[in-house]
C-alpha cells in the first residue's frame, strides 16, 4: 500500500500540483498527469448526473449524448463522430440481444472467480418508486421503448503525428440503470475518459500514435454499443481513405482500455455491533452484517485482463504496463492486476486486440458478492460518495493517462 493513502485530501491536491510543476522537458507524462484535477473530475460527474440514470433508449440518454458531444468539441477534440446501430428490446443482462442493421449483441461475460468472505444480496432495481427523491423519480420516469430503434455511441480521435494509422481506444459506457444518477456506474468512467480527451486535445500536446476516446451506449443491456462498434469497424482497420491522403478513419487497434465503476472500494460486509460493542442478531439468532460506510484502507485501482481470451498474453503485458504507470505517476492509490475481466465493454474486443479494464470493483468477485450497495440501485447518487471515493477515480485517471501517454509517445510542445 502506498503511504499516501492515509493522507488528507488537501495533501492529495498538493501532490497533484507538484506533478504540474514538473518540467515538461524533463517528463512530459508528469506534466500531462498534473493537469488532472479532483474538482474538475467531480464537476464532470456532477454534470452527467443531471441526466439521471441515462437509461438507453430514453430522451435523458439522448440529451446526455448531446452534452458529451458538445463537451468533446469544446475541448478541441477532432473528428467527433457518432456510430449508429439498431437495438431491439427486451434484453437480459448477460444474455445479449440481437442488434439489427449491422450491430451485434456482445458475448456473455467470461471468467470471474470465487470470493470467500461475507456476502450481501445483489440485484438490479426495476422499481422507480424506490427512488425517494421526487425530482429524480420524475426525471427517470421514461422507460425504454419496446421494439427495435436507433441507438448511438459517441467518440472523438486524437490523431497521431507520425503513426496516424495506429491507435489505442480509451473508453467507458455512458448509460446506466437503477433509477438513480448512475454516478459511479458509469458516470465515474465517462468523466475519466472525457478528462483524458480534454488534456490530450489541448494545444501543444502531440502524440505519435492516435487515441480514440469512446463513450459506449447499451452496456447495461449486454455490451451492445461496444459490440456494434466492433462489428461495424473491425474490418476497416488501417485502411487509408481516400487512398494517398494519409487519413485513416479506423486506425489499426493496438489496445483497448475500458473504465467501469471507478470509485467504490469499501470492502466486505462487517458484523453490526450494538452500543456495547456486541454483535447484533436478527430474529432467528443470525449475525447481522452491514456494509462499511467508509472506503477501506487497502483501496486500490484494479487493472484486469481476461485469461480466457485469445489475446490474454498481450493483454497481461498491457495490464502490467499500466501497473508500472500507476507506480510512477499515481499520487494516492496503488494498482493491482487481475485476470478475471468480465461483463464490461472490453469483452467484445478481447479476442481481437489486447484489452484491459480499470477498476470495475473486481466485478467477478466483489460486485457478485454484494460489496457495492449502490450497484444498479437508486442510491447510486453523487451525494453518496466521499472525496476519498472521487480521489480513487482520479488515481485511475492518472494511471490511464500515464499508461496511454507512454504508449502513444506523447509530448508537450509550445503551442
Amino acid at each position: 500500500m502506498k503511504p499516501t493513502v492515509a493522507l488528507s485530501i488537501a495533501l492529495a491536491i498538493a501532490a497533484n500540483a507538484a506533478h504540474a510543476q514538473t518540467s515538461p522537458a524533463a517528463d512530459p507524462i508528469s506534466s500531462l498527469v498534473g493537469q488532472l484535477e479532483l474538482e474538475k473530475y467531480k464537476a464532470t460527474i456532477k454534470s452527467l448526473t443531471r441526466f439521471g440514470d441515462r437509461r438507453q433508449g430514453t430522451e435523458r440518454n439522448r440529451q446526455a449524448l448531446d452534452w458529451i458531444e458538445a463537451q468533446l468539441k469544446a475541448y478541441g477534440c477532432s473528428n467527433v463522430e457518432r456510430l449508429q446501430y439498431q437495438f431491439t428490446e427486451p434484453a437480459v443482462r448477460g444474455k445479449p440481444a440481437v442488434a439489427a442493421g449491422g450491430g451485434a449483441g456482445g458475448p456473455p461475460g467470461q471468467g470471474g472467480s470465487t470470493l470467500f468472505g461475507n456476502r450481501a444480496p445483489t440485484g438490479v432495481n426495476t422499481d422507480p418508486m424506490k427512488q425517494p427523491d421526487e425530482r429524480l423519480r420524475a426525471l427517470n420516469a421514461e422507460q425504454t421503448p419496446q421494439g427495435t430503434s436507433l441507438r448511438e455511441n459517441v467518440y472523438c480521435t486524437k490523431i497521431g503525428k507520425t503513426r496516424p494509422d495506429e491507435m489505442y481506444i480509451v473508453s467507458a459506457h455512458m448509460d446506466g440503470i437503477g433509477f438513480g444518477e448512475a454516478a459511479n456506474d458509469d458516470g465515474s468512467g465517462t468523466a475519466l475518459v472525457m478528462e483524458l480527451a480534454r488534456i490530450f486535445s489541448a494545444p501543444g500536446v502531440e502524440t505519435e500514435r492516435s487515441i480514440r476516446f469512446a463513450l459506449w451506449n447499451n452496456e447495461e443491456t449486454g455490451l451492445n454499443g461496444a459490440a456494434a462498434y466492433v462489428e461495424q469497424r473491425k474490418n476497416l482497420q488501417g485502411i487509408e481513405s481516400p487512398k494517398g491522403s494519409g487519413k485513416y478513419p479506423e486506425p489499426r487497434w493496438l489496445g483497448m482500455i475500458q473504465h467501469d465503476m471507478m470509485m467504490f472500494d469499501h470492502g466486505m460486509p462487517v458484523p453490526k455491533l450494538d452500543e456495547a460493542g456486541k454483535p447484533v442478531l436478527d430474529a432467528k439468532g443470525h449475525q447481522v452484517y452491514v456494509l462499511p460506510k467508509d472506503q477501506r484502507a487497502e483501496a486500490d485501482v484494479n487493472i484486469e485482463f481476461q485469461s480466457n481470451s485469445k489475446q490474454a498474453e498481450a493483454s497481461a503485458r498491457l495490464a502490467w504496463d499500466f501497473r508500472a504507470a500507476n507506480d510512477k505517476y499515481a499520487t494516492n492509490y496503488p494498482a493491482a492486476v487481475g485476470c478475471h475481466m468480465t461483463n464490461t465493454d472490453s469483452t467484445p474486443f478481447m479476442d481481437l486486440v489486447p484489452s484491459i479494464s480499470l477498476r470495475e470493483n473486481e466485478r467477478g468477485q466483489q460486485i457478485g458478492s454484494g460489496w457495492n450497495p449502490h450497484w444498479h440501485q437508486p442510491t447510486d447518487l453523487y451525494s453518496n460518495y466521499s472525496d476519498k471515493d472521487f480521489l480513487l477515480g482520479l488515481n485511475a485517471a492518472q494511471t490511464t493517462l500515464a499508461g496511454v501517454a507512454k504508449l502513444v509517445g506523447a509530448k508537450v510542445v509550445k503551442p
Side-chain angles (χ1 to χ4, degrees), residues 381-405:
L381 308 173
Y382 180 91
S383 60
N384 280 338
Y385 300 98
S386 70
D387 267 2
K388 286 185 178 180
D389 296 325
F390 290 115
L391 189 61
L392 179 62
L394 187 76
N395 273 238
Q398 293 171 337
T399 301
T400 294
L401 194 156
V404 170

Side-chain angles (χ1 to χ4, degrees), residues 219-380:
E219 190 271 352
E220 300 291 5
T221 56
L223 322 180
N224 304 99
Y229 181 94
V230 169
E231 190 68 19
Q232 293 184 32
R233 308 293 295 181
K234 64 181 179 181
N235 294 329
L236 303 178
Q237 293 182 67
I239 298 175
E240 191 179 24
S241 181
K243 193 171 183 179
S245 66
K247 296 181 179 179
Y248 298 85
E250 191 66 31
R252 184 168 64 87
W253 305 342
L254 299 182
M256 194 277 188
I257 304 100
Q258 171 71 3
H259 302 84
D260 201 344
M261 293 184 282
M262 314 311 298
M263 301 192 303
F264 197 84
D265 194 1
H266 288 211
M268 72 174 69
V270 296
K272 183 178 182 179
L273 305 178
D274 62 19
E275 293 181 358
K278 295 182 178 180
V280 174
L281 305 179
D282 63 17
K284 295 183 179 180
H286 298 149
Q287 172 73 65
V288 176
Y289 289 87
V290 293
L291 287 156
K293 183 178 180 180
D294 297 320
Q295 188 187 93
R296 59 178 178 168
E298 59 272 21
D300 58 6
V301 175
N302 302 131
I303 305 169
E304 299 184 353
F305 68 96
Q306 181 44 259
S307 60
N308 293 339
S309 70
K310 294 178 181 178
Q311 295 284 336
E313 185 175 346
S315 297
R317 288 196 297 268
L318 183 62
W320 284 104
D321 284 344
F322 274 58
R323 163 66 188 270
N326 173 274
D327 286 345
K328 187 171 183 179
Y329 295 102
T331 53
N332 303 86
Y333 296 98
V337 173
C339 60
H340 294 297
M341 180 184 77
T342 181
N343 286 343
T344 193
D345 288 309
S346 44
T347 304
F349 290 86
M350 69 184 184
D351 287 332
L352 302 173
V353 60
S355 302
I356 60 174
S357 175
L358 267 71
R359 187 76 283 273
E360 68 169 307
N361 209 16
E362 292 151 334
R363 182 192 299 270
Q365 297 183 343
Q366 297 179 4
I367 288 289
S369 296
W371 288 18
N372 184 347
H374 307 309
W375 181 58
H376 296 165
Q377 298 300 312
T379 56
D380 191 357

Side-chain angles (χ1 to χ4, degrees), residues 15-34:
N16 289 340
H19 272 295
Q21 295 172 4
T22 302
S23 169
D27 186 357
I29 296 177
S30 183
S31 175
L32 293 171
V33 170

Side-chain angles (χ1 to χ4, degrees), residues 19-357:
H19 272 295
Q21 295 172 4
T22 302
S23 169
D27 186 357
I29 296 177
S30 183
S31 175
L32 293 171
V33 170
Q35 295 178 46
L36 286 165
E37 298 177 14
L38 182 63
E39 292 306 316
K40 285 185 178 179
Y41 177 61
K42 290 171 60 178
T44 304
I45 297 174
K46 182 67 172 176
S47 293
L48 285 162
T49 64
R50 293 188 291 113
F51 306 100
D53 65 7
R54 306 181 297 282
R55 182 184 295 262
Q56 60 84 21
T58 63
E59 180 61 23
R60 60 189 182 274
N61 178 276
R62 291 187 288 272
Q63 290 177 353
L65 277 170
D66 290 344
W67 181 81
I68 292 168
E69 180 178 0
Q71 289 297 112
L72 293 176
K73 289 180 178 178
Y75 298 155
C77 292
S78 62
N79 302 327
V80 179
E81 301 178 64
R82 295 200 187 192
L83 181 139
Q84 297 183 338
Y85 58 98
Q86 296 292 325
F87 177 73
T88 302
E89 285 282 346
V92 179
R93 184 174 175 84
K95 295 181 180 179
V98 174
Q110 301 181 34
S113 59
T114 302
L115 180 73
F116 296 96
N118 300 331
R119 304 172 66 91
T122 61
V124 177
N125 176 55
T126 58
D127 183 1
M129 297 308 295
K130 288 187 177 180
Q131 175 52 255
D133 185 324
E134 292 185 5
R135 179 200 63 82
L136 188 53
R137 190 164 66 240
L139 178 62
N140 287 331
E142 182 192 359
Q143 298 287 325
T144 301
Q146 300 299 301
T148 300
S149 54
L150 183 71
R151 303 288 187 273
E152 293 181 305
N153 303 318
V154 63
Y155 59 88
C156 70
T157 309
K158 172 71 175 181
I159 299 174
K161 294 281 288 186
T162 58
R163 297 306 305 264
D165 58 324
E166 298 178 343
M167 79 171 175
Y168 286 86
I169 299 171
V170 178
S171 64
H173 71 90
M174 54 73 60
D175 66 312
I177 54 177
F179 297 100
E181 292 176 335
N184 188 38
D185 186 12
D186 188 25
S188 62
T190 298
L192 185 156
V193 173
M194 292 176 68
E195 279 296 278
L196 266 60
R198 175 182 67 82
I199 290 170
F200 277 108
S201 300
V205 179
E206 294 182 358
T207 62
E208 296 175 7
R209 295 179 172 85
S210 299
I211 313 169
R212 181 153 291 169
F213 303 98
L215 288 315
W216 313 118
N217 215 333
N218 279 98
E219 190 271 352
E220 300 291 5
T221 56
L223 322 180
N224 304 99
Y229 181 94
V230 169
E231 190 68 19
Q232 293 184 32
R233 308 293 295 181
K234 64 181 179 181
N235 294 329
L236 303 178
Q237 293 182 67
I239 298 175
E240 191 179 24
S241 181
K243 193 171 183 179
S245 66
K247 296 181 179 179
Y248 298 85
E250 191 66 31
R252 184 168 64 87
W253 305 342
L254 299 182
M256 194 277 188
I257 304 100
Q258 171 71 3
H259 302 84
D260 201 344
M261 293 184 282
M262 314 311 298
M263 301 192 303
F264 197 84
D265 194 1
H266 288 211
M268 72 174 69
V270 296
K272 183 178 182 179
L273 305 178
D274 62 19
E275 293 181 358
K278 295 182 178 180
V280 174
L281 305 179
D282 63 17
K284 295 183 179 180
H286 298 149
Q287 172 73 65
V288 176
Y289 289 87
V290 293
L291 287 156
K293 183 178 180 180
D294 297 320
Q295 188 187 93
R296 59 178 178 168
E298 59 272 21
D300 58 6
V301 175
N302 302 131
I303 305 169
E304 299 184 353
F305 68 96
Q306 181 44 259
S307 60
N308 293 339
S309 70
K310 294 178 181 178
Q311 295 284 336
E313 185 175 346
S315 297
R317 288 196 297 268
L318 183 62
W320 284 104
D321 284 344
F322 274 58
R323 163 66 188 270
N326 173 274
D327 286 345
K328 187 171 183 179
Y329 295 102
T331 53
N332 303 86
Y333 296 98
V337 173
C339 60
H340 294 297
M341 180 184 77
T342 181
N343 286 343
T344 193
D345 288 309
S346 44
T347 304
F349 290 86
M350 69 184 184
D351 287 332
L352 302 173
V353 60
S355 302
I356 60 174
S357 175

